[in-house]
């Protein structure tokens, strides 16, 4: 299955994204995946995410670079579903770890890092980054 198809399979049920706005491309030994709900290239303030996957000495790692949910869609569980979809995409693409810099706050005012640790099982790896082990090797 192609990367774009793996991504779409995990996003389709959210009814947020459009398949034609999934952008997958290799760059300098990494694979970049960008997903939008509106016109590509205008992600600010819209539901979108950007992740990159690379092989490292630690294994195959997915870095969730950005994730954002439209303001009018926050607070109803869609953010959690997006995170789980991103985890499933990374897992199905053979990643061992999903890592991110957790910044900002949830709609309820909880620091995103705390939310990811408490609700989604991420572990702190330093002052700003968290990770989740996806495929045990």
């Amino acid at each position: 299955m192609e990367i774009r198809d793996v991504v779409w399979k995990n996003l389709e049920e959210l009814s947020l994204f459009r398949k034609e706005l999934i952008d997958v491309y290799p760059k300098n030994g990494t694979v970049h995946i960008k997903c939008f709900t509106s016109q590509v290239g205008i992600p600010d303030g819209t539901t979108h995410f950007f992740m990159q996957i690379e092989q490292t000495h630690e294994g195959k790692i997915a870095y969730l670079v950005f994730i954002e949910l439209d303001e009018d869609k926050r607070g109803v569980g869609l953010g959690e579903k997006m995170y789980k979809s991103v985890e499933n995409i990374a897992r199905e693409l053979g990643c061992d770890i999903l890592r991110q810099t957790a910044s900002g706050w949830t709609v309820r005012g909880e620091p995103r890092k705390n939310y990811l640790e408490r609700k989604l099982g991420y572990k702190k790896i330093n002052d700003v980054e968290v990770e989740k082990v996806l495929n045990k090797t």
Side-chain angles (χ1 to χ4, degrees), residues 59-126:
K60 194 172 185 181
I61 297 182
Y63 294 92
L64 182 56
V65 181
F66 296 107
I67 187 167
E68 186 173 351
L69 190 61
D70 289 334
E71 283 189 32
D72 65 339
K73 292 178 176 59
R74 296 177 187 171
V76 295
L78 286 174
E80 181 179 350
K81 289 178 182 178
M82 268 181 66
Y83 273 107
K84 288 181 178 183
S85 293
V86 168
E87 290 172 14
N88 287 336
I89 291 165
R91 188 178 290 110
E92 288 184 34
L93 294 176
C95 295
D96 303 301
I97 296 170
L98 177 59
R99 186 173 287 163
Q100 65 182 297
T101 299
S103 61
W105 294 266
T106 67
V107 72
R108 292 181 176 82
E110 180 179 12
R112 186 153 329 279
K113 187 169 148 281
N114 294 1
Y115 168 80
L116 292 169
E117 291 176 45
R118 177 185 60 78
K119 184 83 173 179
L120 299 177
Y122 284 75
K123 304 292 181 206
K124 175 182 172 179
I125 56 173
N126 59 42

Side-chain angles (χ1 to χ4, degrees), residues 7 13 16 24 31 46 48-49 56 65 75 78 82 88 92 113:
V7 172
E13 71 180 44
L16 295 172
V24 177
V31 174
T46 65
H48 68 281
F49 71 87
T56 73
V65 181
L78 286 174
M82 268 181 66
N88 287 336
E92 288 184 34
K113 187 169 148 281

Side-chain angles (χ1 to χ4, degrees), residues 18 21 35-44 46-48:
R18 295 182 8 216
L21 296 180
C35 298
F36 304 93
T37 56
S38 63
Q39 182 181 356
V40 174
I42 309 177
D44 290 340
T46 65
T47 298
H48 68 281

Side-chain angles (χ1 to χ4, degrees), residues 8-33:
W8 181 243
K9 180 183 92 166
N10 285 284
L11 294 178
E12 187 174 17
E13 71 180 44
L14 293 178
S15 300
L16 295 172
F17 295 92
R18 295 182 8 216
K19 188 173 185 178
E20 66 271 16
L21 296 180
I22 297 171
D23 189 15
V24 177
Y25 60 95
K27 183 178 180 184
N28 299 328
T30 64
V31 174
H32 296 256
I33 302 168

